[in-house]
Amino acid sequence: MNTIIMILLLLSLFILLLSIAALKVIFTFDSDKENVNLIFEWLHPFLKAEVTIIDTQPVLTIYLFGKGIAERNLKRTKRKITNKMELIRSFKPRDINVYASYGFRDPSITGVTCGALNAASQFINIDSLQNDPNFVTDNDYIYVNANAKFNVITALINMYRTRRAGSGNV
């Protein structure tokens, strides 16, 4: 009986922490190093999940207190997400910070990209945008580091509602 009560208390504590502590999401793209990372951190350093691209295959690695406990290749699903922006909005991200550094051999492309990024940031709720265009470069490159936080319980509920409203297409 004591074991059941302890398990229920731990489960209640876990659900409470999920509703209070935000999940931090960090996305990094570096065209020079051909590097794409997606990191999820919750109660750092307690839990961390990292998705990296290794030989064109996404690999998920899960860390508990900084020690790798699981690694697995991710497979593509055949389900289509019809409205990706609506799905992301359903997570209600906050504290969105974006650092973008880029340069193209043609300075006009760099200028158009700079203008488009600044214009898009006015329509998206971004707390901080650091735009670092390089107009005089010999090679094309893009580096983006973006992070945001969201509440896991709220995201799951809103994702479920979005999925039901979209009749299973999300």
Side-chain angles (χ1 to χ4, degrees):
M1 189 64 163
N2 287 337
T3 307
I4 293 173
I5 292 173
M6 280 301 277
I7 290 173
L8 288 175
L9 281 173
L10 287 174
L11 186 61
S12 299
L13 179 64
F14 182 72
I15 291 172
L16 179 68
L17 283 173
L18 274 178
S19 65
I20 294 173
L23 178 73
K24 184 175 183 180
V25 180
I26 304 165
F27 172 76
T28 306
F29 174 78
D30 188 352
S31 65
D32 278 345
K33 297 179 183 174
E34 297 178 3
N35 187 16
V36 179
N37 281 343
L38 183 61
I39 299 170
F40 299 91
E41 292 180 343
W42 184 65
L43 295 173
H44 182 73
F46 175 64
L47 185 64
K48 176 180 171 182
E50 184 173 0
V51 178
T52 55
I53 307 294
I54 299 173
D55 296 329
T56 70
Q57 176 69 34
V59 176
L60 172 68
T61 308
I62 298 175
Y63 300 90
L64 192 61
F65 294 112
K67 303 279 187 189
I69 60 169
E71 185 174 305
R72 110 179 237 211
N73 290 341
L74 298 177
K75 298 177 186 170
R76 293 184 182 222
T77 62
K78 296 194 183 218
R79 273 185 15 198
K80 296 225 178 207
I81 298 173
T82 55
N83 194 344
K84 294 175 183 146
M85 282 306 292
E86 190 62 35
L87 179 65
I88 292 171
R89 281 191 194 112
S90 74
F91 288 178
K92 296 191 188 242
R94 63 180 198 278
D95 299 335
I96 302 171
N97 301 299
V98 178
Y99 172 77
S101 176
Y102 50 89
F104 302 99
R105 285 180 284 234
D106 184 353
S108 66
I109 295 174
T110 305
V112 169
T113 304
C114 180
L117 220 95
N118 284 320
S121 71
Q122 301 303 312
F123 297 105
I124 303 170
N125 187 18
I126 295 178
D127 293 324
S128 168
L129 171 65
Q130 295 179 0
N131 198 357
D132 186 19
N134 182 355
F135 290 93
V136 287
T137 183
D138 294 332
N139 60 335
D140 298 341
Y141 72 93
I142 301 171
Y143 175 81
V144 176
N145 186 339
N147 60 60
K149 294 179 181 175
F150 65 88
N151 183 290
V152 177
I153 297 291
T154 304
L156 290 173
I157 291 169
N158 290 336
M159 191 170 73
Y160 174 73
R161 286 181 183 160
T162 302
R163 187 177 199 163
R164 275 187 83 204
S167 64
N169 290 335
V170 176

